Amino acid sequence: MNEQPERVEQFQAEINSMKVKASGAENESRLLILGIVLAVAGLALAIVGGVQVGGAADALDQQSFLATGSFLGIALIIAGAALFVRYSLARYLRFWLVRLVYESRANTDRIVEAIDRAAHGPE
Amino acid sequence: MTPIDTSAAPPLLELSGVRAGYGSIEVLHGVNLAVPAGSVVALLGPNGAGKTTTLGVACGLIEPTAGKVLMAGRDVTGVAPEELVRRGVVTIPEGRGIFPNLTVRENLQMVTYGGARLADVEATAYERFPRLGERRKQLAGTMSGGEQQMLAMARGLASNPALLFLDELSMGLAPLVVEELYGIVAQIARSGVSILVIEQFARTVLGVADYAAIMLNGLVRSVGRPADIEDELSAAYLGGQKP
Ligand SMILES: Nc1ncnc2c1ncn2[C@@H]1O[C@H](COP(=O)(O)OP(=O)(O)OP(=O)(O)O)[C@@H](O)[C@H]1O
Ligand SMILES: [Mg+2]
């Protein structure tokens, strides 16, 4: 049934030689999850750091626990939260935009209807 | 029911668990569909089932929110439509997409911006569709619906497709014309192009297709040989049970 199988082969070769990037939608949810993971890891680190600082009698030990535990932990929390906010906000705004479009369309319909009614008299 | 046989080689097109929609409204809820190399697959379903949306995902115009688009076994999800066109994925959209205020010849000239030579494009177009040859100076918008559809097909074929998508070829055309067009689709298929055709009303396309799939409410409900599908089809449209 197939008179030119070489077209199929050519197509396969061309598709295979193509550069493909990861899809945007998948990336987005991956980054969202990364944000949550980072924030949780940071929180854990900060708590561990805090406990260690409390347990350490020596001021020098306390400082090093502060540096590795608390500060790094806080930095991770901030970075993770920023990622999370960025991508959940994107989702929310997309939804909101659709909602706005929908409302404005409904509004236009109402106005057109009202004008129609006014033009054709109240009866 | 015979499932689509994809054991021999990876199909030219495969949609796997595709979810997609417009804004926050999901239209496709996990579509699975395959077009094996060298075959004609018909995707059938009533208005609003999501057939055109499926095509949009397949040709790269709509990015799925989940699932994968594979071509020749390769994941091409998220690849730009023009990249796919350049490699031989051609779509003839619903409503044909020709320029009504240009002549037949000027419409064909549009393909040459992709790199083909006008003389070659015209020669192959008029060979396959002699009626276009007779009307090369006529404005495309003044031709009959069937002739316009032929022009759309000629333009699509000029870029030497490996994978051809046809959306509602029969829209607004008389049954006899539809039959003629599907005769041409069968010829195209024989020349080695793999084809996905979308239709609402199925009788003619089932004579040409190797496989048929029924789509309802954003899901492919059944896939099989046209003969098996035909019985199920009336049930799908009437929304009732199989007799
Ligand atoms: N651009 C768009 N924006 C929002 N919703 C859309 C858009 N295009 C299609 N839809 C919706 O998506 C759903 C599926 O539409 P689609 O065009 O895929 O159906 P179809 O199976 O091709 O129907 P038809 O046989 O009438 O062409 C419909 O409910 C439609 O209202
Ligand atoms: Mg459609």
Side-chain angles (χ1 to χ4, degrees):
Chain A
M1 107 183 132
N2 197 335
E3 285 165 19
Q4 46 163 171
E6 67 274 13
R7 183 67 187 95
V8 171
E9 275 163 32
Q10 186 196 344
F11 180 70
Q12 281 164 346
E14 287 194 18
I15 289 289
N16 278 319
S17 67
M18 195 163 55
K19 282 208 246 11
V20 179
K21 66 157 177 54
S23 96
E26 249 169 60
N27 255 348
E28 196 166 288
S29 55
R30 221 176 280 149
L31 283 168
L32 190 72
I33 292 167
L34 179 70
I36 298 172
V37 170
L38 279 185
V40 169
L43 191 65
L45 207 58
I47 291 173
V48 169
V51 170
Q52 281 174 323
V53 170
D58 184 0
L60 272 180
D61 274 351
Q62 283 186 346
Q63 271 177 17
S64 72
F65 284 140
L66 266 182
T68 54
S70 309
F71 293 154
L72 188 63
I74 291 168
L76 280 180
I77 293 174
I78 293 173
L83 268 179
F84 178 76
V85 168
R86 154 75 180 78
Y87 286 101
S88 57
L89 210 62
R91 274 189 183 184
Y92 175 72
L93 286 180
R94 240 199 316 273
F95 173 76
W96 192 56
L97 194 68
V98 172
R99 180 79 215 170
L100 269 185
V101 169
Y102 174 81
E103 300 243 303
S104 92
R105 197 187 303 161
N107 230 350
T108 315
D109 287 348
R110 271 199 295 276
I111 292 171
V112 168
E113 203 180 290
I115 292 175
D116 250 17
R117 238 181 295 127
H120 295 107
E123 71 285 313
Chain B
M1 189 130 317
T2 340
I4 293 184
D5 176 24
T6 55
S7 53
L12 281 208
L13 170 72
E14 186 173 6
L15 303 182
S16 146
V18 164
R19 292 172 172 271
Y22 304 92
S24 64
I25 298 151
E26 189 175 270
V27 174
L28 304 181
H29 313 292
V31 169
N32 297 307
L33 188 69
V35 180
S39 63
V40 179
V41 176
L43 180 62
L44 310 167
N47 280 123
K51 307 181 296 293
T52 303
T53 310
T54 306
L55 209 57
V57 171
C59 73
L61 275 174
I62 300 173
E63 194 165 326
T65 50
K68 279 182 183 158
V69 183
L70 302 161
M71 282 184 185
R74 180 102 193 271
D75 188 348
V76 296
T77 321
V79 171
E82 63 271 17
E83 290 292 316
L84 296 176
V85 170
R86 216 168 284 144
R87 285 163 182 86
V89 181
V90 168
T91 308
I92 296 169
E94 214 170 2
R96 297 161 203 152
I98 55 171
F99 299 96
N101 49 353
L102 296 183
T103 65
V104 169
R105 192 144 187 265
E106 288 163 342
N107 264 285
L108 290 176
Q109 202 166 1
M110 290 298 167
V111 196
T112 63
Y113 295 110
R117 285 183 44 233
L118 180 59
D120 297 343
V121 171
E122 281 197 278
T124 44
Y126 302 154
E127 190 198 310
R128 185 154 265 153
F129 306 97
R131 254 200 272 171
L132 291 182
E134 295 160 21
R135 292 162 188 277
R136 65 187 80 189
K137 300 239 169 68
Q138 190 172 335
L139 287 186
T142 64
M143 293 198 301
S144 76
E147 287 160 355
Q148 290 185 28
Q149 192 60 266
M150 286 178 191
L151 176 56
M153 283 165 77
R155 206 184 54 188
L157 292 173
S159 42
N160 188 22
L163 192 51
L164 183 65
F165 300 146
L166 292 166
D167 197 354
E168 294 204 28
L169 200 64
S170 64
M171 196 200 264
L173 299 177
L176 219 58
V177 181
V178 175
E179 215 154 289
E180 186 184 349
L181 286 173
Y182 273 112
I184 297 167
V185 170
Q187 274 176 30
I188 297 168
R190 257 177 265 129
S191 75
V193 182
S194 314
I195 304 177
L196 176 62
V197 268
I198 287 186
E199 279 293 350
Q200 269 190 50
F201 301 106
R203 300 283 170 251
T204 330
V205 64
L206 286 180
V208 178
D210 298 307
Y211 298 100
I214 299 181
M215 176 165 234
L216 282 175
N217 298 327
L219 278 173
V220 172
R221 289 298 157 92
S222 54
V223 181
R225 293 289 180 182
D228 306 330
I229 285 291
E230 199 160 3
D231 308 334
E232 233 171 280
L233 206 60
S234 28
Y237 280 90
L238 299 174
Q241 300 293 313
K242 246 204 310 205

